[in-house]
Amino acid sequence: MKKRPGLRKRLALELFRSIRKKRAKIHELRTLFWECTLRCNQDCRHCGSNCHQSARQPDMPAEDFLKVIDEITPHVDPHQVVITFTGGEVLLRDDIEECGSELRRRGFPWGIVTNGLLLTHERLDSLLASGMQSVTINLDGFEEAHNWLHRHPESFEQAVNAICLLAEEKKIKWEVVTCVNQRNFKDLMLFKEFLVEMGVNNWRLSSLLPVGNVANNPELLLDDEQFTWLLRFIRHYRREGKIHIDFACDGFLGNYEGEVRDQIFQCSAGISTASILADGSISGCPNTQAKFRQGNIYKDNFMDVWNNGFKEYRNREWARKGACSDCDMFRYCEGNGMHLHGDDGKLPACHYKRIQ
């Protein structure tokens, strides 16, 4: 039988639940993702964004995105709202610096998510000169495992080169993100030491779930025993302190809450996080299914949507069904991350029930 959280943990969960409800009511916008392109120079087996070398959806013009920023600016403190360029591969666009400079002029901090293939020394200098303050870069294991997952023979080498460039920068926040799967699971301890030697200070780990491309590649998925070991691995090395390790925000983790992340689980989509997708759709996080999109910048005012929409994000009682209907952890979990629910609203997996 699964061990329930003890009294101290339950008190912490209750406190954070109260804080989460207040956050949902206030819904202060803190993070805005811009899916600036669906073009990509890789063909990842685990991609959740349906990106391709030649995307059918054209890139959104930067001026259209900046119009939305101008709608938002009077209603927020720009210095408190982080803009993150995501994709696809953002560095396939040659106007990132121009758009970033406009964001800096308006007072918004901004950063990118990249696979590193195009992050040369010259491009990094250009991005930094335009005000870039943060970078998230993917590195999914050693060379064989990473290149297999990303289906690109130079992906690992270029990502490592990009990380080495970032390690030399002292005024920028950056992190490495690793999707743990069957190909890289056995090497996690050695890989952690490899990252430390490269100068990586922040490492975020996630486990794949059967959504997006992964639904067609089930051999990538960890079994329940491996998933539990991953949580123990993170907990142990957080205490060691050589590198700051954080588990992704995917779902509720029972007794591991407060021990493998910097905060207790909360899906911030629609509460403090929003996205503008490549076709103009307004959503929570970029990976949320089409069913949960809330409008479109080409016909709606973003702030009107943000203030008056997102009801399914801020009141999650609709998710209390199926396996969640009689779970006594629902009050803390609220049905996992929004991005895990399919267009039918069903949840394909539960982190809490996977823990051994």
Side-chain angles (χ1 to χ4, degrees), residues 172-188:
I172 186 174
K173 297 178 182 178
W174 60 280
E175 65 174 354
V176 169
V177 173
T178 299
C179 294
V180 182
N181 60 82
Q182 290 291 349
R183 288 287 182 124
N184 60 25
F185 176 78
K186 67 181 185 303
D187 294 325
L188 277 181

Side-chain angles (χ1 to χ4, degrees), residues 13-171:
L13 291 171
E14 287 292 342
L15 176 61
F16 197 78
R17 178 174 179 265
S18 175
I19 293 171
R20 183 168 61 239
K21 286 189 173 297
K22 290 178 182 177
R23 287 178 178 170
K25 184 176 181 179
I26 298 170
H27 54 267
E28 289 183 326
L29 183 64
R30 295 291 185 175
T31 302
L32 179 64
F33 289 96
W34 179 31
E35 187 182 60
C36 64
T37 184
L38 285 179
R39 292 179 293 138
C40 192
N41 47 13
Q42 297 186 148
D43 184 23
C44 299
R45 299 175 192 272
H46 63 310
C47 180
S49 301
N50 195 29
C51 300
H52 303 282
Q53 295 276 355
S54 178
R56 294 180 181 178
Q57 174 65 45
D59 295 353
M60 179 186 292
E63 56 266 28
D64 293 356
F65 176 68
L66 290 171
K67 286 180 183 178
V68 178
I69 295 300
D70 290 336
E71 290 177 10
I72 293 171
T73 301
H75 304 280
V76 301
D77 177 356
H79 301 286
Q80 299 298 318
V81 182
V82 177
I83 311 296
T84 300
F85 296 72
T86 187
E89 173 48 48
V90 303
L91 296 182
L92 287 170
R93 290 188 65 136
D94 58 11
D95 61 351
I96 293 298
E97 290 89 341
E98 180 183 350
C99 188
S101 293
E102 289 298 317
L103 291 174
R104 179 177 61 179
R105 186 173 66 82
R106 291 162 169 80
F108 289 89
W110 65 275
I112 65 172
V113 179
T114 178
N115 60 36
L117 273 175
L118 300 176
L119 192 61
T120 62
H121 196 290
E122 293 75 18
R123 191 73 194 269
L124 180 57
D125 285 346
S126 177
L127 291 163
L128 292 172
S130 303
M132 184 179 70
Q133 296 185 21
S134 63
V135 177
T136 296
I137 188 163
N138 302 111
L139 192 64
D140 294 309
F142 290 116
E143 186 168 12
E144 180 183 359
H146 179 90
N147 288 349
W148 177 85
L149 190 65
H150 291 255
R151 291 200 266 218
H152 193 294
E154 299 175 7
S155 181
F156 176 82
E157 181 181 358
Q158 294 300 104
V160 168
N161 288 341
I163 289 169
C164 291
L165 290 174
L166 292 169
E168 295 176 359
E169 300 296 332
K170 305 301 181 186
K171 296 183 179 180

Side-chain angles (χ1 to χ4, degrees), residues 178-332:
T178 299
C179 294
V180 182
N181 60 82
Q182 290 291 349
R183 288 287 182 124
N184 60 25
F185 176 78
K186 67 181 185 303
D187 294 325
L188 277 181
M189 289 186 181
L190 287 175
F191 189 60
K192 187 266 298 183
E193 295 298 332
F194 174 71
L195 295 180
V196 171
E197 290 177 8
M198 276 201 300
V200 176
N201 294 320
N202 296 293
W203 186 25
R204 180 154 50 95
L205 296 170
S206 65
S207 66
L208 297 174
L209 287 167
V211 295
N213 281 358
V214 180
N216 299 318
N217 292 278
E219 71 277 7
L220 290 171
L221 300 172
L222 301 182
D223 62 33
D224 293 351
E225 184 177 348
Q226 290 170 324
F227 177 71
T228 305
W229 185 93
L230 174 62
L231 298 180
R232 292 171 180 165
F233 170 87
I234 295 172
R235 180 174 62 185
H236 174 79
Y237 286 109
R238 278 174 68 92
R239 294 169 178 171
E240 181 190 56
K242 285 185 179 180
I243 184 172
H244 179 72
I245 309 180
D246 206 22
F247 187 68
C249 60
D250 282 348
F252 178 74
L253 301 173
N255 273 310
Y256 289 91
E257 288 297 334
E259 299 180 12
V260 296
R261 297 189 186 102
D262 292 343
Q263 65 173 19
I264 289 172
F265 170 71
Q266 172 187 315
C267 177
S268 64
I271 294 176
S272 60
T273 298
S275 299
I276 297 173
L277 306 183
D279 65 355
S281 295
I282 300 168
S283 189
C285 78
N287 292 325
T288 306
Q289 299 300 310
K291 169 185 171 66
F292 300 106
R293 293 175 185 175
Q294 300 295 300
N296 192 291
I297 65 166
Y298 291 112
K299 63 182 182 67
D300 302 304
N301 178 279
F302 177 88
M303 287 308 300
D304 284 346
V305 173
W306 177 251
N307 287 325
N308 301 308
F310 289 95
K311 292 179 174 58
E312 291 170 301
Y313 292 76
R314 295 167 189 166
N315 184 342
R316 301 283 297 277
E317 280 300 312
W318 60 267
R320 195 191 289 269
K321 58 187 177 182
C324 296
S325 61
D326 59 354
C327 179
D328 60 356
M329 293 292 111
F330 182 86
R331 64 187 290 106
Y332 310 124

